[in-house]
């Protein structure tokens, strides 16, 4: 596994809750878990710290971060600002292949809802929004939205199946706006979609975990 693959594996386990907020992440334990040496683990932990999923302190170790409720709420507010802008750009910049992929993901999501395969929806939804971000033509915007979606999946659960059917119908409307190359409509539909989704979010319960010796320091902005 490359350091990037190790990073993705650890991040996925944090998002799933296999590693709980405040839990210590040791290089030896992680290396054994993923069958790698300590070197890619060390690099992966540095990346996760930069992304805000972990924090470290000399002589204490590295720990899974924990967002406050206010910080968690900020994630949804930031998403509500970024994704409509992203959709507006995607309406005029998307490629035929990207539009086809979005339609395909929408069909797969609707099929999963009809068949009751709700466990597949989170992955399909995340991929839909990643492709939508890529279609904006902005690598920076795509990176920001992808990292934002990871954080939201980490701290929030979605009430299913109450929201599932409506959500994937809205994905269909997003595809229609992109196909029509209507940036105003695409932006408005995504804004409405996010507003509806926000009402279905609830903070994940925090189980007791091995705690760090003191709370994580606030992140230091990078220039």
């Amino acid at each position: 596994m490359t350091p990037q693959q190790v990073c993705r594996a650890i991040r996925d386990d944090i998002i799933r809750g296999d590693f709980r907020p405040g839990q210590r992440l040791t290089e030896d334990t992680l290396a054994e878990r993923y069958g790698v040496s300590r070197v890619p683990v060390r690099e992966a932990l540095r990346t996760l710290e930069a992304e805000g999923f972990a924090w470290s302190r000399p002589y204490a170790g590295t720990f899974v971060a924990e967002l406050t409720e206010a910080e968690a709420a900020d994630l949804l507010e930031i998403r509500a600002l970024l994704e409509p802008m992203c959709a507006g750009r995607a309406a005029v910049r998307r490629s035929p292949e990207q539009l086809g992929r979005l339609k395909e993901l929408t069909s797969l999501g609707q099929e999963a809802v009809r068949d009751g395969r709700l466990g597949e929806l989170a992955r399909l939804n995340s991929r839909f929004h990643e492709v939508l971000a890529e279609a904006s033509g902005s690598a920076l915007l795509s990176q920001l939205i992808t990292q934002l979606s990871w954080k939201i999946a980490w701290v929030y659960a979605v009430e299913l199946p109450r929201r599932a059917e409506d959500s994937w119908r809205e994905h269909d409307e997003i595809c229609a706006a992109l196909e029509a190359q209507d940036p105003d409509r695409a932006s408005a539909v995504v804004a409405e979609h996010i507003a509806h989704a926000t009402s279905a979010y609830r903070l994940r319960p925090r189980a007791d975990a091995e705690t760090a010796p003191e709370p994580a320091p606030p992140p230091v902005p990078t220039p």
Side-chain angles (χ1 to χ4, degrees), residues 3 7 11 41-53:
C7 180
R11 186 195 303 115
V41 169
R42 190 175 303 123
E43 293 185 37
L45 291 177
R46 283 198 293 264
T47 300
L48 291 169
E49 188 171 358
E51 293 176 351
F53 284 94

Side-chain angles (χ1 to χ4, degrees), residues 84-92 177-178 180-189:
M85 178 177 69
C86 169
R89 292 188 179 189
V92 295
L178 295 182
Q181 295 185 303
D182 185 339
D184 292 336
R185 177 59 181 162
S187 180
V189 169

Side-chain angles (χ1 to χ4, degrees), residues 98-205:
Q98 288 166 331
L99 178 61
R101 182 58 177 150
L102 289 169
K103 288 183 174 182
E104 179 186 17
L105 289 164
T106 298
S107 295
L108 291 172
Q110 291 170 338
E111 289 174 8
V113 171
R114 285 194 299 269
D115 296 343
R117 294 180 278 112
L118 302 183
E120 299 178 18
L121 296 180
R123 175 182 58 82
L124 292 171
N125 181 69
S126 293
R127 186 57 188 147
F128 179 94
H129 286 277
E130 287 173 9
V131 175
L132 179 61
E134 292 166 4
S136 72
S138 169
L140 177 59
L141 189 56
S142 177
Q143 181 183 31
L144 289 172
I145 289 176
T146 297
Q147 291 188 1
L148 191 63
S149 69
W150 291 336
K151 290 280 187 70
I152 290 173
W154 174 35
V155 298
Y156 285 100
V158 179
E159 298 289 353
L160 292 173
R162 178 175 63 85
R163 170 68 185 148
E165 186 173 351
D166 291 342
S167 177
W168 287 95
R169 186 183 67 251
E170 292 161 10
H171 283 85
D172 219 0
E173 295 172 359
I174 293 169
C175 289
L178 295 182
E179 186 167 25
Q181 295 185 303
D182 185 339
D184 292 336
R185 177 59 181 162
S187 180
V189 169
V190 169
E192 185 177 6
H193 172 66
I194 292 171
H196 291 162
T198 299
S199 66
Y201 283 126
R202 59 177 172 80
L203 286 172
R204 294 183 184 275

